[in-house]
Amino acid sequence: MSKKTTGFILGSIVGAAAGVVAGILVAPRSGAESRAMAADAMNDAWDSAVDTYERAGQAVEEQVAGVRPSVDAKTDELRAKVDAARERMDQLRDSLSDVVAQTSAQVSDAVSEVTDKVVSMADAAAEQGSAPAEAVHVEVVEPEAEPESETEA
């Protein structure tokens, strides 16, 4: 070790010892009395911290208890809305499935009808000895909607 380091360590030890001696000589109370006072001060601080913690815990519980009913009500409301939406989706899925099945049956019937007409026309043309058609044109015609009655005053 260097001379400076040794001097610093020796000075620190001597200073600490001098502080202990001065504290013992100048202390207004005995060691046992001072330790008892320090222990009482620590117990008081601990009790105060525990009391503060308990009061804060109760305040938080009261705040949570005040908010819980509105949270529960909103949760119930949202659950009801989700259930209603699920029911509506099931109804829509069922009705869409029915419409698709009906439309599929109608298309199938229409294709069969057109096929039957084409076959019968081809047979009729063959019986008459006509030349086969070069092309076939199929036109889909939608029925006209009935006009709405005008009742303006």
Side-chain angles (χ1 to χ4, degrees):
M1 281 201 257
S2 73
K3 200 173 195 180
K4 286 184 177 182
T5 306
T6 305
F8 176 76
I9 292 174
L10 186 58
S12 296
I13 293 172
V14 170
V20 169
V21 170
I24 291 173
L25 293 177
V26 179
R29 294 176 190 84
S30 67
E33 210 175 319
S34 294
R35 285 189 299 275
M37 285 179 60
D40 286 343
M42 288 302 294
N43 287 337
D44 289 344
W46 180 258
D47 290 343
S48 175
V50 168
D51 289 343
T52 302
Y53 174 77
E54 288 174 355
R55 281 194 305 265
Q58 288 175 348
V60 168
E61 285 178 14
E62 290 172 3
Q63 291 294 324
V64 168
V67 172
R68 184 172 304 277
S70 64
V71 169
D72 289 344
K74 287 292 182 185
T75 301
D76 292 343
E77 181 181 332
L78 288 174
R79 281 188 183 134
K81 286 181 179 180
V82 167
D83 290 343
R86 283 183 181 151
E87 286 180 25
R88 183 67 181 138
M89 290 299 293
D90 289 343
Q91 290 172 352
L92 288 173
R93 188 176 334 127
D94 291 343
S95 66
L96 181 61
S97 181
D98 292 345
V99 167
V100 167
Q102 289 173 353
T103 304
S104 176
Q106 289 174 349
V107 167
S108 178
D109 291 346
V111 167
S112 295
E113 187 178 319
V114 167
T115 302
D116 291 344
K117 283 184 181 180
V118 168
V119 167
S120 68
M121 291 175 91
D123 289 344
E127 287 176 6
Q128 290 179 0
S130 303
E134 296 283 325
V136 175
H137 174 75
V138 177
E139 183 176 335
V140 177
V141 178
E142 302 218 5
E144 292 184 23
E146 294 182 22
E148 295 180 18
S149 61
E150 296 180 16
T151 56
E152 292 181 16

